[in-house]
Amino acid sequence: LSRISADESSGINAEYGHYYITNNLSTGFNVMTELNWGVTLWDQWDRVQEHTDHGLEFTKKCHDFVRDRIKLEIDYAKSLRRLKKQYKLKNTEDDSANFSTVKTYNMFLAQLDLVARDHEIVAEGLQEKVAERLKAVHKETTNNRKNLCNTANQLQHEYKEWQVSLERHQQKYEKAAKEAEAAGQAFSKVNDDMNATRAQVQKSRTEMVRRQDIMEK
């Protein structure tokens, strides 16, 4: 899979896997740059969450469309049957029922039952094969997405806490490193001082070792 874009400054850009290829229109040379995780490639959690949310909205829209289509089919079938009942001829004792026009009219009315039944069959098929399946898929996908989002949000929260903790430990280490370096320089200075007593040298050495231990912890 690749992603291609263009701009006036760099020309045509294409992303292939973990590499980003830039074609400079002025020179005609292709430059391939590796995309590294944590440097140029980052987690796209917000975009994934938005994409899946749009997918659920689309599934819901499809289900609502089929649901309304089924309702229209059923309502149309009922309307056709009401129309037939409304315009059905009353039984008469004369011979008018044998007229070709009357027979044709009754045939048209009888066709309404068949057409109504066809629409009911369409409604039944949509309900059994499409609407119920869409409803089940939407419910299952919504629950799965909810669980995954909860897990992802928890991981995001933990990640931020780890970042804060890492920054705090880094600051602590940098402070301890500076103090250890200062203690080491102080020891070197005392150790090179010909006028320093043995107790002063030992005290400076102990302080240096103590600061190094704090830094390493």
Side-chain angles (χ1 to χ4, degrees), residues 113-128:
D113 273 332
L114 298 178
V115 175
R117 181 53 188 159
D118 287 340
H119 285 279
E120 289 173 344
I121 292 175
V122 171
E124 292 171 359
L126 289 174
Q127 179 64 36
E128 295 176 1

Side-chain angles (χ1 to χ4, degrees), residues 8 11 13 15 36-38 42 45 47 49 56 87 93 99 115 119 129 131 150 154 174 192 205 209 215:
E8 296 180 356
N13 304 322
E15 182 181 328
N36 298 316
W37 294 106
W42 293 94
W45 166 239
R47 295 179 63 183
Q49 192 173 22
L56 289 177
Y87 286 93
E93 296 180 357
F99 293 164
V115 175
H119 285 279
K129 299 180 181 180
N150 290 337
Q154 178 63 28
E174 291 175 352
D192 294 338
R205 183 194 300 275
V209 173
M215 179 188 67

Side-chain angles (χ1 to χ4, degrees), residues 49-60:
Q49 192 173 22
E50 181 181 0
H51 176 73
T52 54
D53 186 56
H54 289 166
L56 289 177
E57 291 179 358
F58 177 72
T59 306
K60 180 68 164 55

Side-chain angles (χ1 to χ4, degrees), residues 119-169:
H119 285 279
E120 289 173 344
I121 292 175
V122 171
E124 292 171 359
L126 289 174
Q127 179 64 36
E128 295 176 1
K129 299 180 181 180
V130 182
E132 293 181 0
R133 178 56 179 164
L134 279 174
K135 184 177 181 180
V137 168
H138 183 266
K139 181 179 180 181
E140 179 181 0
T141 307
T142 300
N143 292 335
N144 289 340
R145 180 182 180 275
K146 181 179 179 181
N147 294 333
L148 292 174
C149 285
N150 290 337
T151 302
N153 289 332
Q154 178 63 28
L155 292 175
Q156 289 277 4
H157 178 70
E158 293 177 359
Y159 174 70
K160 291 180 180 179
E161 288 185 340
W162 293 336
Q163 284 184 314
V164 173
S165 177
L166 177 62
E167 183 177 356
R168 184 171 61 251
H169 282 82

